[in-house]
């Protein structure tokens, strides 16, 4: 089986991957990072969203080999050491999650947004999260969480 | 700050960070599919492409010979191995007096398939990819048979039969009330209104697909099943029964559950099949559903058609309610699928109104479609939708404010406790007070100006209201809780209610904080292990109400026992022992002992208390929900523009969590009102909405600006906490509030009472057609 090399959460990794393997299966399987979830297998729910070279990507519709040489960030790589990422902190503060199954995908879509646009408008947040389904929260607190994270990053909230 | 005060920051009524969250936001949750023991095998199912067919033959050999394949199972093999069908226990009869009978719901179909997506063959292989490839190589020959999808067609003479042993497709029937008294009331009524309703089929769609991992321990001869479920004990008993094992030979373990909404309440055929494979092969076997399989083969909710009538006097007092319902059970009529339309719905259909004369004619009918089970609300959304639609129709006929008509019919506080005509006893409720607050919050009387403002933008505005109650409790009012005070400074409380994402571990922990006066970090709530505790599980909004009450009682009992132990340790009479924040002391002295030190001194180094307690019956949360919508007349697109609700759920334990429940629940109700529908092709029974591209679930661009309030001044009187259930309230209120608002807009646009003919979901196409006077025929023909 060919070996795939890429940067995962800041560390160089190698994993065996067949050409037809999806990135999500390699992450959850060989690399044992199960924070990235599969909710629909078809790129329609966003639960499997990760960042590839800083952009939000559905790992269930990306072949693992396409990530070769890329910088991949999963929810496990969001925290800085022991300190949760402002988004993680904000989702906890604002009750931005209930069952938590869609949450890793939400966090990664939002992280990609804040990376590009640290002070997004509500409309921009909605636009960035349009591809992520949540069945529990009704989204109100998810949008509020992203707004709170932006304030945390800007040092305007704690 | 002193210790009890410090601890009380985490007690009930306080906003706390959920104990579930740190792991979930870090990607450290433990959902079933995250677990992969060594030597794991993967199961994949071959599913029926036909709604109704005879299985002529199955050729598994090619698949079995493929690389990585360990075994291929067919229905015939499972029957030969003695695997039994899942049980259907129903306290109902057919209208001809016969007992309910239904086609056996087997782990794998045997001889006959009865809906598209039914599991027929299970392939087990070393990898998921190998299992999937082999599943494609299984050849099943079918003899296709005529199918029936619609309940009205299914009851016509000569319709294709779902279960040959019965004379027709009726599963069960119920009649409640007094038909003659109702007829007399209709005869003398000043006003009679009727509505025809299709409460469409919905796919519950928690984001986590079902997953089950079964392992057989050869040493102990026990089967361990890890799965995503709301009812571990029920799954244990059903799977054990199907496999011919004693319940204690099976252990069910539940980790994180990625949403349930009623869909994960019982054992599924796939659970039995996977358990059988692990048992037979003596290897761990896992299956994780693809989303397509969830749309096809996880239970659906609702799917009932009705013709409903209300008789009123000239002053708007309701004289009688008459409703005829035909509910679809799917091919495999289950207990849940029949209890919902035949009991849970009827129990609340008179809602918060003083209506004693009723005539309910209810029937459940089998069709060649997926199984109907529970979905958030389970019967109450169907019933309340009927009642609230009727009240709006009557208000329109009487030219009365719909809020005023409701007010005139509400049960008054002095009538409590109130027994409704189904024999259900409401312990408390101040419905008019909730209505008044709802109207104020929604600025009910400022609507005309808002409608005019919308009109100036070229948009049609409508306003809808739903005032209602619901039943919570799940029919089992008892819970067992064990409490262990550990020497390491932790109080561990083990409950048999089940977390499924609603945050119940946090709410239960807050209740324990109230009693023990300890920081929440010292409280550990454990659930989801049938070796540690058993019970009904989580459904019917019972977890905080019944599970919380039981946990409170158990915590108090623990402190009482610990006090006795402390008295012995301190050589003082128990009446002189005081407890404050983890420490017992002898009053008036500086003698004392720490709770955890006391535990360490016991002979097995812990204080262990087992407690079983019950609440006094169902709780009756109630609410007033008011919604306003705008319609774009050019496209028919509906936009929810405001949503205000005042909810009486008794005492609130976790403010942030209950608001999340009501608002998140309301979005599911809005989804039903506006966009969701599990659709089948009427002739072939092929599923037309089997992906998130076709099944339109609300996304983030929908309405989010909820105004949600709680009135906590009417505590439930029949449990020690005063709490009422909350998990389903939002869903129940939202669909009628939204639809009433759209009909109001259509009425105002010139459609008048014709607008009441529109059916959910209110898609742009349907709304546009309604604006042009085009409606579908009534789902239940007048003499259907």
């Amino acid at each position: 089986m060919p070996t795939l090399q890429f940067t995962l959460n800041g560390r160089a990794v190698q994993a065996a991957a067949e050409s037809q393997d999806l990135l999500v299966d390699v992450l959850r399987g060989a690399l044992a990072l199960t924070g990235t979830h599969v909710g629909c297998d078809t790129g329609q729910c966003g639960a499997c969203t990760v960042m590839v070279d800083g952009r939000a990507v559905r790992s269930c519709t990306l072949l693992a080999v396409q990530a070769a040489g890329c910088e991949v960030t999963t929810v496990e790589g969001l925290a800085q050491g022991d300190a949760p990422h402002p988004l993680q902190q904000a989702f906890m503060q604002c009750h931005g999650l209930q069952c938590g199954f869609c949450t890793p995908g939400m966090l990664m879509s939002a992280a990609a947004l804040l990376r590009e646009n640290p002070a997004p408008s509500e409309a921009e947040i909605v636009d960035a999260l349009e591809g992520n389904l949540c069945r529990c929260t009704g989204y109100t607190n998810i949008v509020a969480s992203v707004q709170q994270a932006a304030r945390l990053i800007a040092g305007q909230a704690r | 700050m002193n210790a009890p005060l410090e601890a009380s920051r985490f007690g009930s009524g306080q906003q706390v960070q959920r104990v579930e969250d740190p792991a979930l936001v870090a990607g450290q949750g433990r959902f079933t599919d995250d677990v992969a023991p060594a030597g794991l095998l993967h199961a994949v199912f071959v599913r029926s492409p036909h709604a109704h067919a005879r299985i002529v033959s199955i050729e598994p050999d090619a698949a079995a010979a493929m690389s990585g394949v360990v075994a291929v199972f067919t229905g015939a093999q499972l029957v030969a191995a003695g695997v039994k069908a899942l049980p259907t226990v129903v306290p109902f009869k057919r209208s001809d007096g016969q007992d309910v009978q239904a086609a056996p719901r087997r782990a794998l179909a045997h001889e006959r398939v009865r809906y598209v997506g039914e599991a027929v063959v299970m392939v087990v292989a070393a990898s998921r990819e190998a299992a999937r490839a082999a599943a494609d190589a299984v050849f099943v020959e079918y003899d296709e048979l005529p199918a029936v999808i619609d309940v009205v067609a299914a009851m016509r003479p000569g319709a294709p039969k779902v279960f040959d042993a019965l004379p027709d497709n009726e599963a069960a029937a119920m009649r409640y009330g007094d038909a003659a008294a109702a007829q007399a009331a209709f005869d003398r009524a000043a006003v009679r209104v009727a509505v025809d309703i299709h409460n469409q089929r919905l796919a519950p769609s928690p984001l986590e697909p079902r997953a089950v991992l079964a392992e057989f321990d050869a040493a102990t001869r026990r089967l361990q099943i890890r799965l995503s479920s709301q009812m571990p004990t029920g799954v244990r008993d059903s799977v054990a029964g199907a496999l011919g094992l004693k319940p204690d030979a099976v252990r069910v373990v539940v980790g994180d559950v990625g949403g349930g909404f009623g869909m994960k309440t019982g054992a599924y055929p796939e659970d039995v099949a996977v358990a059988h494979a692990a048992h037979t092969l003596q290897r761990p076997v896992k299956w994780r559903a693809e989303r397509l399989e969830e749309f096809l083969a996880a239970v659906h909710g609702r799917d009932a058609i009705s013709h409903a009538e209300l008789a009123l006097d000239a002053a708007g007092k309701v004289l009688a309610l008459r409703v005829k319902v035909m509910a679809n059970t799917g091919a495999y009529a289950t207990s849940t699928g029949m209890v919902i339309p035949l009991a849970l719905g009827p129990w609340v259909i008179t809602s918060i109104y003083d209506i004693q004369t009723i005539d309910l004619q209810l029937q459940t009918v089998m069709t060649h479609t997926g199984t109907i089970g529970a979905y958030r609300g389970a019967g109450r959304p169907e019933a309340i939708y009927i009642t609230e639609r009727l009240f709006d129709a009557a208000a329109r006929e009487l030219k009365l404010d719909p809020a005023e008509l409701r007010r005139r019919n509400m049960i008054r506080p002095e009538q409590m406790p109130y027994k409704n005509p189904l024999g259900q006893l409401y312990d408390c409720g101040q419905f008019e007070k909730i209505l008044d607050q709802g109207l104020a919050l929604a600025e009910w009387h400022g609507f005309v100006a808002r409608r005019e403002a919308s009109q100036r933008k070229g948009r049609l505005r409508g306003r809808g209201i739903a005032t209602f109650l619901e039943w919570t409790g799940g029919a089992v009012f008892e819970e067992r809780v064990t409490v262990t005070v550990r020497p390491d400074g932790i109080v561990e409380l083990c409950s048999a209610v089940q977390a499924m994402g609603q945050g119940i571990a946090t709410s239960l922990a807050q209740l324990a904080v109230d009693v023990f006066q300890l920081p929440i970090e010292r409280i550990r709530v454990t659930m989801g292990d049938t070796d540690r505790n058993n019970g009904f599980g989580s459904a019917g909004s019972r977890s905080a109400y019944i599970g919380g009450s039981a946990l409170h009682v158990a915590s108090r009992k623990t402190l009482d026992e610990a006090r006795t132990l402390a008295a012995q340790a301190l050589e003082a009479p128990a009446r002189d022992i005081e407890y404050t924040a983890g420490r017992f002391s002898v009053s008036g002295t500086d003698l004392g002992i720490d709770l955890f030190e006391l535990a360490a001194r016991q002979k097995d180094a812990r204080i262990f208390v087992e407690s079983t307690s019950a609440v006094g019956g169902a709780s009756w949360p109630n609410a007033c929900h008011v919604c306003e919508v705008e319609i774009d007349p050019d496209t028919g697109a509906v936009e929810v523009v405001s949503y205000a609700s005042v909810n009486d759920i008794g005492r609130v334990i976790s403010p942030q969590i209950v608001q999340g429940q009501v608002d998140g629940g309301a979005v599911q109700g809005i989804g039903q009102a506006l966009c969701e529908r599990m659709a089948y092709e009427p002739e072939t029974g092929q599923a037309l909405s089997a992906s998130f591209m076709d099944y339109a679930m609300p996304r983030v661009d929908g309405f989010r600006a909820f105004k949600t309030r709680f009135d906590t001044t009417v505590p439930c009187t029949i449990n020690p906490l005063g709490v009422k259930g909350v998990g389903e309230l939002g869903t129940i209120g939202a669909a009628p509030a939204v639809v009433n608002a759209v009909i109001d807009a259509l009425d105002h646009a010139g459609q008048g009472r014709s607008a009441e003919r529109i059916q959910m979901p209110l898609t742009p196409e349907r709304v546009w057609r309604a604006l042009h006077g085009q409606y579908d025929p009534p789902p239940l023909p007048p003499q259907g």
Side-chain angles (χ1 to χ4, degrees):
Chain A
M1 204 183 281
T3 301
L4 167 72
Q5 300 190 356
F6 60 101
T7 305
L8 177 60
N9 297 331
R11 285 206 307 251
V13 293
Q14 298 191 353
E18 296 285 3
S19 55
Q20 74 274 21
D21 288 349
L22 298 168
L23 178 59
V24 69
D25 292 330
V26 173
L27 291 172
R28 291 180 53 83
L31 296 166
L33 289 186
T34 56
T36 303
H37 297 151
V38 180
C40 73
D41 318 271
T42 48
Q44 296 164 6
C45 80
C48 68
T49 304
V50 299
M51 276 200 287
V52 177
D53 291 341
R55 285 165 51 207
V57 169
R58 284 154 165 56
S59 62
C60 82
T61 49
L62 192 75
L63 293 169
V65 293
Q66 291 176 281
C70 294
E71 292 221 15
V72 177
T73 309
T74 68
V75 67
E76 290 93 342
L78 213 46
Q80 290 114 16
D82 285 341
H85 187 280
L87 274 164
Q88 292 170 316
Q89 208 179 321
F91 269 67
M92 291 192 282
Q93 286 174 349
C94 303
H95 192 26
L97 68 154
Q98 289 185 22
C99 81
F101 195 81
C102 75
T103 309
M106 288 285 179
L107 289 168
M108 299 318 291
S109 290
L113 167 71
L114 294 181
R115 199 175 160 274
E116 288 288 308
N117 178 359
S121 67
E122 185 172 349
E124 287 166 334
I125 294 169
V126 166
D127 195 50
L129 300 181
E130 186 82 328
N132 291 75
L133 279 172
C134 168
R135 190 55 153 169
C136 299
T137 65
Y139 303 99
T140 311
N141 291 345
I142 291 176
V143 172
S145 298
V146 180
Q147 289 170 322
Q148 169 71 355
R151 285 192 293 270
L152 289 169
I153 290 167
Q156 293 160 353
R158 41 193 293 254
Chain B
M1 197 181 273
N2 70 30
L5 232 79
E6 174 66 24
S8 71
R9 286 171 51 209
F10 306 102
S12 66
Q14 302 299 312
Q15 181 171 320
V16 301
Q17 181 183 298
R18 298 198 321 166
V19 299
E20 296 88 345
D21 287 353
L24 292 171
V25 299
Q28 303 299 325
R30 197 169 163 81
F31 297 92
T32 302
D33 193 37
D34 298 344
V35 180
L40 179 64
L41 301 176
H42 298 262
V44 164
F45 291 93
V46 177
R47 295 182 181 275
S48 171
H50 303 297
H52 190 199
R54 199 169 59 81
I55 299 172
V56 178
S57 64
I58 298 175
E59 291 173 27
D61 295 354
M66 284 170 70
S67 162
V69 175
V70 175
V72 180
F73 295 90
T74 65
Q77 280 173 319
L78 265 53
V79 169
V83 178
K84 292 189 274 292
L86 288 168
T88 296
V89 188
V90 191
F92 300 109
K93 301 240 183 233
R94 282 168 43 88
S95 39
D96 59 11
Q98 277 192 56
D99 285 338
V100 166
Q101 287 185 74
R105 192 179 178 213
R106 298 184 186 283
L108 294 171
H110 180 48
E111 296 173 344
R112 191 83 76 87
V113 288
R114 295 185 174 86
Y115 69 92
V116 170
E118 184 171 2
V120 176
V121 174
M122 174 176 57
V123 178
V124 179
S127 72
R128 208 155 173 251
E129 293 67 33
R132 208 180 288 159
D136 287 342
V138 174
F139 181 74
V140 185
E141 188 187 348
Y142 295 98
D143 176 14
E144 210 183 332
L145 299 168
V148 65
I149 306 308
D150 166 79
V151 288
V152 174
M155 286 311 293
R156 284 194 192 113
K161 276 200 282 181
V162 177
F163 187 46
D164 292 342
L166 288 170
D168 57 36
N169 286 315
E170 184 186 78
M174 274 303 280
R175 192 92 190 231
Y176 294 105
D178 182 334
Q183 185 58 52
F186 272 88
D187 288 344
R188 71 170 193 274
V191 172
R192 288 176 283 270
V193 290
V195 291
D196 288 287
I197 285 164
H198 182 200
N199 203 300
Q200 79 271 33
R201 185 179 284 241
L202 301 170
S205 305
L207 256 283
E208 182 206 19
R210 283 175 298 154
V212 52
L213 163 63
E215 298 174 75
F216 184 71
D217 184 337
T220 61
R221 311 288 304 163
R222 292 184 82 213
L223 194 59
Q224 177 175 307
I225 302 169
R226 173 179 283 276
L227 84 170
S228 182
S229 177
Q230 303 170 224
M231 289 185 172
T233 301
V235 171
R236 180 195 69 175
D237 294 351
S238 296
V239 174
L243 297 185
L245 301 171
K246 293 206 173 83
D248 62 9
V250 178
R251 177 187 188 186
V252 170
V253 177
V254 180
D256 284 313
V257 174
F261 313 121
M263 195 211 88
K264 295 177 180 171
T265 43
Y268 274 94
E270 292 93 338
D271 302 338
V272 175
V274 170
H276 172 74
H279 194 230
T280 310
L281 301 171
Q282 309 216 350
R283 297 266 304 268
V285 179
K286 182 164 77 177
W287 168 70
R288 193 268 294 164
E290 294 187 359
R291 183 55 57 180
L292 173 64
E293 296 180 283
E294 293 302 77
F295 277 110
L296 296 180
V299 297
H300 299 144
R302 316 238 162 57
D303 200 347
I305 58 174
S306 47
H307 179 74
E309 302 165 90
L310 201 63
L312 305 96
D313 68 17
K317 177 77 184 86
V318 174
L319 302 175
L321 170 70
R322 184 159 61 194
V323 183
K324 185 176 179 189
V325 176
M326 287 174 88
N328 200 334
T329 63
Y332 295 94
T334 62
S335 314
T336 313
M338 283 184 271
V339 166
I340 287 168
L342 300 182
L344 302 190
W347 287 352
V348 302
I349 198 161
T350 56
S351 188
I352 60 176
Y353 308 114
D354 189 10
I355 302 171
Q356 286 291 340
T357 306
I358 59 162
D359 178 11
L360 308 182
Q361 197 182 335
L362 317 168
Q363 188 178 38
T364 54
V365 177
M366 298 179 284
T367 62
H368 295 103
T369 59
T371 306
I372 289 286
Y375 170 50
R376 203 170 196 171
R380 289 94 84 201
E382 296 92 310
I384 296 299
Y385 184 77
I386 287 171
T387 307
E388 291 304 296
R389 288 286 313 279
L390 279 172
F391 267 84
D392 262 31
R396 211 166 274 120
E397 191 64 28
L398 283 157
K399 297 187 170 49
L400 260 179
D401 179 334
E404 175 56 27
L405 179 67
R406 284 166 170 82
R407 184 190 301 279
R408 289 182 191 179
N409 285 283
M410 283 177 181
I411 298 161
R412 298 181 310 278
E414 62 270 24
Q415 289 176 278
M416 294 291 168
Y418 178 91
K419 190 179 268 190
N420 79 13
L422 271 286
Q424 296 294 313
L425 193 70
Y426 307 161
D427 66 301
C428 64
Q430 296 188 21
F431 310 125
E432 203 172 347
K433 190 169 106 176
I434 301 299
L435 169 70
D436 284 331
Q437 293 171 77
L439 297 180
L441 185 67
E443 298 175 56
W444 181 262
H445 296 293
F447 176 69
V448 173
R450 294 193 293 276
R451 169 173 273 166
E452 284 165 2
S454 297
Q455 218 152 17
R456 286 194 290 275
K457 293 187 295 177
R459 291 164 74 86
L460 310 171
R461 195 174 184 112
R463 176 185 63 178
I465 184 170
T467 58
F468 63 100
L469 59 60
E470 76 126 332
W471 160 99
T472 80
V476 174
F477 300 116
E478 190 175 272
E479 277 292 321
R480 175 178 175 268
V481 176
T482 64
V483 184
T484 311
V485 182
R486 302 190 331 204
D488 62 354
I490 296 291
V491 178
E492 186 178 329
L493 302 108
C494 182
S495 169
V497 302
Q498 182 57 52
M500 52 169 141
Q502 78 279 53
I504 190 64
T506 298
S507 299
L508 294 179
Q510 287 185 270
L511 290 171
V513 166
D514 286 349
V515 175
F516 290 103
Q517 304 168 30
L518 292 167
I520 202 163
E521 296 79 14
R522 296 208 166 268
I523 307 293
R524 188 153 307 156
V525 175
T526 61
M527 289 173 271
D529 183 348
T530 60
D531 274 7
R532 297 202 57 192
N533 208 348
N534 287 284
F536 185 78
S538 281
S541 300
R542 69 188 295 279
S543 308
Y545 164 51
I546 299 174
S549 294
L551 182 131
H552 170 83
V553 170
S555 298
R556 296 284 296 265
K557 190 172 165 192
T558 304
L559 268 194
D560 287 346
E561 295 209 5
R563 187 186 311 272
T564 307
L565 298 173
Q568 289 162 9
L570 297 169
E571 297 179 339
R575 65 173 182 279
D576 291 346
I577 303 291
E578 290 172 353
Y579 177 82
T580 309
R583 189 170 173 82
F584 290 102
S585 54
V586 181
S587 67
T589 74
D590 54 4
L591 281 174
I593 186 166
D594 180 82
L595 172 67
F596 300 106
E597 194 193 325
L598 182 67
R601 284 201 199 172
Q602 304 308 310
K603 67 175 188 310
D604 46 1
R606 61 173 195 166
I607 300 166
F608 177 80
V609 168
E610 190 180 336
S611 166
T612 299
S613 61
V615 299
S619 86
W620 305 95
N622 58 89
C624 171
H625 287 219
V626 179
C627 173
E628 291 185 20
V629 299
E630 279 187 349
I631 299 171
D632 178 340
D634 294 331
T635 63
V638 175
E639 188 186 346
V640 174
V641 293
S642 80
Y643 198 103
S645 74
V646 175
N647 305 274
D648 166 12
I649 60 163
R651 179 176 146 202
V652 167
I653 302 168
S654 313
Q656 220 178 12
I657 288 176
V658 297
Q659 176 152 3
Q661 288 294 309
V662 171
D663 294 354
V667 169
Q668 291 189 9
I670 293 171
Q672 170 166 25
L674 297 184
C675 49
E676 295 182 34
R677 179 183 167 218
M678 184 66 212
Y680 285 101
E681 207 280 323
E683 298 299 318
T684 64
Q686 294 295 327
L688 299 176
S689 53
S691 81
F692 286 133
M693 292 293 275
D694 313 299
Y695 187 87
M697 225 152 80
R699 289 185 180 264
V700 67
D701 60 349
F703 181 77
R704 295 185 309 279
F706 292 94
K707 286 203 270 183
T708 307
R709 302 285 183 274
F710 296 92
D711 181 332
T712 60
T713 63
V714 192
C716 181
T717 63
I718 52 171
N719 72 74
L721 300 174
V723 302
K724 306 174 188 180
V726 65
E728 296 159 286
L729 204 60
T731 307
I732 296 166
V738 172
V739 174
N740 280 341
V742 172
I743 291 173
D744 178 50
L746 293 172
D747 168 18
H748 195 73
Q751 285 298 310
R753 285 204 56 209
S754 293
E756 292 161 12
R757 292 160 62 193
I758 198 165
Q759 301 292 348
M760 296 187 290
L762 306 179
T763 57
E765 184 214 351
R766 279 187 173 159
V767 173
W768 188 90
R769 284 201 291 123
L771 279 167
H772 294 78
Q774 298 167 26
Y775 299 91
D776 294 325
L780 183 59
Q783 291 306 316

